[in-house]
Amino acid sequence: MENEVRRHFDEIIEDAKGVLEDVEIEQDYSVKRALLKISGNFRNLKVRITEVIDEDKRKYAYYLINLTFANSE
């Protein structure tokens, strides 16, 4: 399973690097779970994506933060 998860994460990372600027990647693998965190910028948006794969299921979280609006206050 670990090789399959690593390939899956590699595909997501490749896509993110093709679209986002200032990409930061964090990956962590253990026996019970795999974690991928991606942070980057797309135009005026800050993008944050997290995926966790454990023995039972996949969990996702994603955030889009409008930097234009956030910096105007």
Side-chain angles (χ1 to χ4, degrees), residues 2-64:
E2 183 177 338
N3 288 335
E4 181 181 324
V5 170
R6 286 183 187 269
R7 280 193 301 274
H8 171 70
F9 283 179
D10 287 345
E11 290 175 6
I12 294 170
I13 291 167
E14 184 178 329
D15 289 344
K17 287 181 176 179
V19 175
L20 302 175
E21 296 178 357
D22 303 322
V23 179
E24 295 178 13
I25 307 291
E26 179 185 337
Q27 297 180 70
D28 185 53
Y29 299 91
S30 71
V31 176
K32 295 191 177 200
R33 64 129 181 92
L35 169 73
L36 172 64
K37 290 185 176 184
I38 299 175
S39 178
N41 296 320
F42 180 75
R43 298 183 183 160
N44 65 329
L45 298 173
K46 180 72 173 177
V47 178
R48 293 183 184 237
I49 303 165
T50 301
E51 181 172 358
V52 179
I53 301 174
D54 63 25
E55 297 169 334
D56 297 328
K57 59 190 163 203
R58 294 174 187 246
K59 300 170 203 133
Y60 304 92
Y62 56 91
Y63 302 91
L64 300 173

